[in-house]
Amino acid sequence: MKMQININPRLRLSPLVMVLLALMGIAFVVAMIRYINGIGAISNLSYSYPWGFWISFDLFTGVAIGSGAFVMAAAVYIFELKEFRPLLKPSVLTGFLGYTMVVIALLVDLGHPERIWYMMIHWNHTSVLLEIGICVMSYLTVLAIEFSPVFFEGIQWKKTAHFIHKFIMPFVILGVVLSTLHQSSLGSLLLIQPAKLYPLWWTPILPVLFFISAVSIGLAMIIFESTVSARYFHRGLESHLLEKLGRAVPIVLAIYLIVRFTQLTLANDLQYLFNSGLMSILFWAEIILGSVIPLVLFSIKKIRQSPNGLLVSAIVLLIGMILDRFDVSWFAVRHPDPLTFIPSLMQFNAHYIPSLPELSISIGIFSAGILAFGLIAKYLPLFEEEDGHHTASH
Amino acid sequence: MTDIKNIKHKAFLYDATRCIDCRACMIACSVENKIPMDKTRIWVAGVGLKGEYPNLDRASMVYHCMHCEEPDCMSACPVGAYSKREDGPVLYNKDVCIGCRYCMNACPFGVPHFDYNKGLIDGAFIDKCTMCTQRIDVGLEPACVATCPTEALVFGERADLIKEAHARIAAHPDRYIDHVYGETENGGTSYLILSHVPFSELGLPPLTSKPVKEVSEAVMGLTIPFALTWGAVLTGVTVGVHEYNKRKENAAKQTVEAEKESEDAK
Ligand code: SF4
Ligand code: SF4
Ligand code: SF4
């Protein structure tokens, strides 16, 4: 049987590819300027805002949207829901690329990128960031292992692929444990800021909330990326599988809402719901977009059965949940900075708006991710038909 | 005065009522520690005029690393670049710092400052007050304290300074707010503050006696037990589901076979 994937060879320097390459080039140049002249030369980060767009977008959002990989791995391998197999490989790939992008972004954001490996030898066991660093590095390895059979199949090393497949279970479990840890720990990262993070967001159960929302983001991401890539590569869409995934979303979101509002009630934070100006608006925006609307949309069978309905619902959920990540890591954080009083002397920004070069770094890295996904989809057997065979489309 | 070298728990006391906003401490610090002109480890801020002529009032505040007893910067740093010396100072080691700036997020006082204007070759590091260890270790007061013309900043044994602070409040209850900031805040600090205006007006965050790192450290402590339990649970579920599915398959097969047999028997 011919095991080769055969999709439209659309990637040959199409305009899209040219644009992506250009964006990557810009990011590269900007990164070089940063390495020569310092982070201040390209970004608006300051003493008050040591973390900004890179952390909110590349780290917080990047890790969150990579969660499809562990959700799918758990479904297929641990719960043996074998029908979902066709969705597994693309989501593992998204995860792998997503995490690689996180690491690349950190190489720009860290003051000493050449020392990133110090995290493996100098351990401060009270640091949440250390836990995340170690988890992300290990998980990247696990994802590489989980994805490697696809690669070996692609280069026709069937035996190797088979061999790895045999021993995949321990890695899957390790991967799910690592994911649970760092998805939730991203929330724990803010626990050290009880005095800075607005009470609508700061709670000791931030890690729990982060984990539950990560699961919903994972499900939405799989729906999103399957639908989009199906369109781009003109391949069949696993609509009924996505419909089934969609059924799980309202359950996860309901749990999320219950936990979140119970916490707010118990912590006596309901008072902030309506009278905190911008903070109240942000809060309701993320709750309504991230949870309420998707909960309703995904509960309606008709919507779940239409590819467009699924796509729109997933996008609304992603926007809301990504807003949550931005709130927690940026919008809702108030850095007290005494330096406000003598702004002229200090290099200082009381407010923070990311600069264009700063954005260009994230955009460039994101473009590289899309391009890599396209290339891999083109050359490796990424998509399977539902009976386990690879597509030989058209 | 006892020899500074022998003070067991070194600390500062800053009295806002004595500060004349001359900023000599800033200059002294920068000279002593060779801090470039556009940076500083200590900063003085006038916090605005109040009242109407002729009853004008103005406060100033000298911000400084608080040398917390439970340093949050130290708890947060992934690579352990911070250490707390037994006699007080919280110190930063630039040789292991990876420049993640998590310490800046963690410190409730916004003390650690990162050098945004240095590239890879020069090396961008965190800078913060060191309590002038090079001076206190040879028996000298920190440069900022030694320079202060009005004794708004004094240096000494933490317990003594707390006593002294309360004595000043008791002597002039009309002049001071009855609280020593740093005695309990954030689990206690080695920079104590006396003021005649509310501390919030000085730009100091309202903190409880629980260090801000407390919850974060408690959650971190759960990590390993949680990971092990979760791993075990997942392994259990995996095996369980597998067995269940196998049995179901076998049962299905058996019924098929049984049906066949019964058909054969017919
Ligand atoms: S004031 Fe900030 S930098 Fe200084 S010891 Fe406390 S937490 Fe660390
Ligand atoms: S910037 Fe340096 S000192 Fe601060 S937390 Fe990161 S590694 Fe530690
Ligand atoms: S103790 Fe030394 S390093 Fe710290 S502010 Fe005073 S002079 Fe500067």
Side-chain angles (χ1 to χ4, degrees), chain A residues 182-207:
Chain A
H182 70 255
Q183 291 289 355
S184 52
S185 302
L186 270 186
S188 314
L189 211 47
L190 283 305
L191 287 182
I192 206 155
Q193 307 191 325
K196 296 183 182 178
L197 186 60
Y198 203 76
L200 282 174
W201 285 273
W202 192 90
T203 148
I205 62 159
L206 256 180

Coordinates of all heavy atoms in Angstrom, one line a residue, chain A residues 182-207:
Chain A
H182 N 2.5 21.9 34.3 CA 2.9 23.3 33.9 C 1.7 24.1 33.4 O 1.7 25.3 33.5 CB 4.0 23.3 32.9 CG 3.7 22.8 31.6 ND1 4.0 21.5 31.1 CD2 3.0 23.3 30.6 CE1 3.5 21.4 29.9 NE2 2.9 22.4 29.5
Q183 N 0.6 23.4 32.9 CA -0.5 24.2 32.6 C -1.1 24.9 33.9 O -1.4 26.1 33.8 CB -1.6 23.4 32.0 CG -1.3 22.8 30.6 CD -1.3 23.9 29.5 OE1 -1.7 25.0 29.8 NE2 -0.9 23.5 28.3
S184 N -1.1 24.2 34.9 CA -1.6 24.8 36.2 C -0.6 25.7 36.8 O -0.9 26.8 37.3 CB -2.0 23.7 37.2 OG -1.0 22.8 37.4
S185 N 0.7 25.4 36.7 CA 1.7 26.2 37.3 C 1.8 27.6 36.6 O 2.3 28.5 37.3 CB 3.1 25.6 37.2 OG 3.1 24.4 37.8
L186 N 1.4 27.7 35.4 CA 1.4 29.0 34.8 C 0.5 29.9 35.6 O 0.8 31.1 35.8 CB 0.8 29.0 33.3 CG 1.9 28.7 32.3 CD1 1.2 28.8 30.9 CD2 3.0 29.7 32.3
G187 N -0.6 29.4 36.2 CA -1.4 30.1 37.1 C -0.7 30.4 38.4 O -0.7 31.5 38.9
S188 N 0.0 29.4 38.9 CA 0.8 29.6 40.1 C 1.8 30.7 40.0 O 2.2 31.3 41.0 CB 1.5 28.3 40.5 OG 0.6 27.2 40.4
L189 N 2.3 30.9 38.8 CA 3.3 31.9 38.6 C 2.9 33.3 39.2 O 3.7 34.1 39.6 CB 3.5 32.1 37.1 CG 4.9 32.5 36.6 CD1 6.0 31.7 37.2 CD2 4.9 32.3 35.1
L190 N 1.6 33.5 39.2 CA 1.1 34.8 39.7 C 0.7 34.8 41.1 O 0.4 35.8 41.7 CB -0.2 35.2 38.9 CG 0.0 35.7 37.5 CD1 1.0 36.9 37.5 CD2 0.5 34.7 36.5
L191 N 0.9 33.6 41.8 CA 0.5 33.5 43.2 C 1.4 34.4 44.0 O 1.0 34.8 45.1 CB 0.6 32.1 43.7 CG -0.5 31.1 43.2 CD1 -0.3 29.8 43.7 CD2 -1.9 31.7 43.5
I192 N 2.6 34.7 43.5 CA 3.5 35.5 44.3 C 3.1 37.0 44.3 O 3.8 37.8 44.9 CB 4.9 35.2 43.9 CG1 5.9 35.5 45.1 CG2 5.3 36.0 42.7 CD1 7.2 34.7 45.0
Q193 N 2.1 37.3 43.6 CA 1.7 38.7 43.5 C 0.3 39.0 44.1 O -0.5 39.7 43.5 CB 1.7 39.1 42.0 CG 2.9 38.8 41.3 CD 3.0 39.4 39.9 OE1 2.0 39.6 39.2 NE2 4.2 39.8 39.5
P194 N 0.1 38.6 45.3 CA -1.2 38.9 45.9 C -1.5 40.4 46.0 O -2.6 40.8 46.0 CB -1.2 38.2 47.3 CG 0.3 38.0 47.6 CD 0.9 37.8 46.3
A195 N -0.4 41.1 46.2 CA -0.5 42.5 46.3 C -0.6 43.3 45.0 O -0.9 44.4 44.9 CB 0.7 43.1 47.1
K196 N -0.3 42.6 43.9 CA -0.3 43.2 42.6 C -1.4 42.8 41.7 O -1.9 43.6 40.9 CB 1.0 42.9 41.9 CG 2.2 43.5 42.7 CD 3.5 43.2 41.9 CE 4.7 43.7 42.6 NZ 5.9 43.4 41.9
L197 N -1.8 41.5 41.7 CA -2.8 41.0 40.8 C -4.2 41.4 41.4 O -4.5 41.1 42.6 CB -2.7 39.5 40.6 CG -3.6 38.9 39.6 CD1 -3.4 39.5 38.2 CD2 -3.4 37.4 39.5
Y198 N -5.1 41.9 40.5 CA -6.4 42.3 41.0 C -7.2 41.1 41.6 O -7.1 40.0 41.1 CB -7.2 42.9 39.8 CG -8.2 43.9 40.3 CD1 -7.9 45.1 40.7 CD2 -9.6 43.5 40.3 CE1 -8.8 46.0 41.2 CE2 -10.5 44.3 40.8 CZ -10.2 45.6 41.2 OH -11.1 46.5 41.7
P199 N -7.9 41.4 42.8 CA -8.5 40.3 43.5 C -9.5 39.5 42.6 O -9.8 38.3 43.0 CB -9.2 41.0 44.6 CG -9.1 42.4 44.5 CD -8.0 42.7 43.5
L200 N -10.0 40.0 41.5 CA -10.9 39.2 40.7 C -10.1 38.0 40.1 O -10.7 37.1 39.6 CB -11.5 40.1 39.6 CG -12.7 40.9 40.0 CD1 -13.1 41.8 38.8 CD2 -13.9 40.1 40.5
W201 N -8.8 38.2 40.0 CA -8.0 37.1 39.4 C -7.2 36.3 40.4 O -7.0 35.2 40.3 CB -7.2 37.7 38.3 CG -7.9 37.9 37.1 CD1 -8.2 37.1 36.1 CD2 -8.6 39.2 36.7 NE1 -9.0 37.7 35.1 CE2 -9.2 39.0 35.5 CE3 -8.7 40.4 37.3 CZ2 -10.0 40.0 34.9 CZ3 -9.4 41.4 36.7 CH2 -10.0 41.2 35.5
W202 N -6.6 37.1 41.4 CA -5.7 36.4 42.3 C -6.5 35.5 43.3 O -7.4 35.9 44.0 CB -4.9 37.4 43.2 CG -3.8 36.7 43.9 CD1 -2.6 36.5 43.4 CD2 -3.9 36.0 45.2 NE1 -1.8 35.7 44.3 CE2 -2.6 35.4 45.4 CE3 -4.9 35.9 46.1 CZ2 -2.3 34.7 46.6 CZ3 -4.6 35.1 47.3 CH2 -3.3 34.6 47.5
T203 N -6.2 34.2 43.3 CA -6.8 33.3 44.2 C -5.8 32.1 44.3 O -5.1 31.8 43.4 CB -8.1 32.8 43.7 OG1 -8.3 31.4 44.2 CG2 -8.2 32.8 42.2
P204 N -5.8 31.5 45.5 CA -4.9 30.4 45.6 C -5.2 29.2 44.7 O -4.4 28.4 44.4 CB -5.1 29.9 47.1 CG -5.6 31.1 47.8 CD -6.4 31.9 46.8
I205 N -6.4 29.2 44.1 CA -6.8 28.1 43.2 C -6.5 28.5 41.8 O -7.0 27.8 40.9 CB -8.2 27.6 43.4 CG1 -9.2 28.7 43.2 CG2 -8.4 27.0 44.8 CD1 -10.6 28.1 42.9
L206 N -5.8 29.6 41.5 CA -5.4 29.9 40.2 C -4.9 28.7 39.4 O -5.3 28.5 38.2 CB -4.3 31.0 40.2 CG -4.7 32.4 39.8 CD1 -3.5 33.3 39.9 CD2 -5.3 32.5 38.4
P207 N -4.0 27.9 40.0 CA -3.6 26.7 39.2 C -4.7 25.8 38.7 O -4.7 25.3 37.6 CB -2.6 26.0 40.1 CG -2.7 26.6 41.4 CD -3.3 28.0 41.2

